[in-house]
Amino acid sequence: MAVNTRTNTVVDAFSRNINDAGRPTKITDVPYTIVPDPSWPAESVIIIDTGTNKVIEHFRVDLSGNPLR
């Protein structure tokens, strides 16, 4: 699950079962309730393992949500 920490919105999702079935994962296919955590990197997109709720990756984004390089 990819969450924009600036807006606390889901911006992307992935389900291995759905992808293995030959179709892309929609955000609505993966039920997840965002519970903002103050330890999350600010102004970033974080990748969350929904099974453990742990951040496994993150990258900074601008006001439009585009990655900063």
Side-chain angles (χ1 to χ4, degrees):
M1 184 69 59
V3 175
N4 183 321
T5 62
R6 182 187 300 275
T7 61
N8 288 318
T9 56
V10 174
V11 295
D12 197 16
F14 178 80
S15 167
R16 183 170 284 116
N17 290 338
I18 290 171
N19 284 63
D20 286 351
R23 66 181 185 89
T25 304
K26 299 178 201 166
I27 291 172
T28 55
D29 289 333
V30 182
Y32 184 75
T33 301
I34 298 171
V35 179
D37 184 324
S39 71
W40 289 351
E43 301 174 359
S44 298
V45 167
I46 58 173
I47 310 303
I48 298 174
D49 178 335
T50 57
T52 63
N53 259 353
K54 292 188 179 191
V55 175
I56 55 176
E57 186 64 64
H58 66 89
F59 54 91
R60 296 203 16 103
V61 293
D62 64 18
L63 290 173
S64 298
N66 298 310
L68 294 174
R69 301 186 194 267

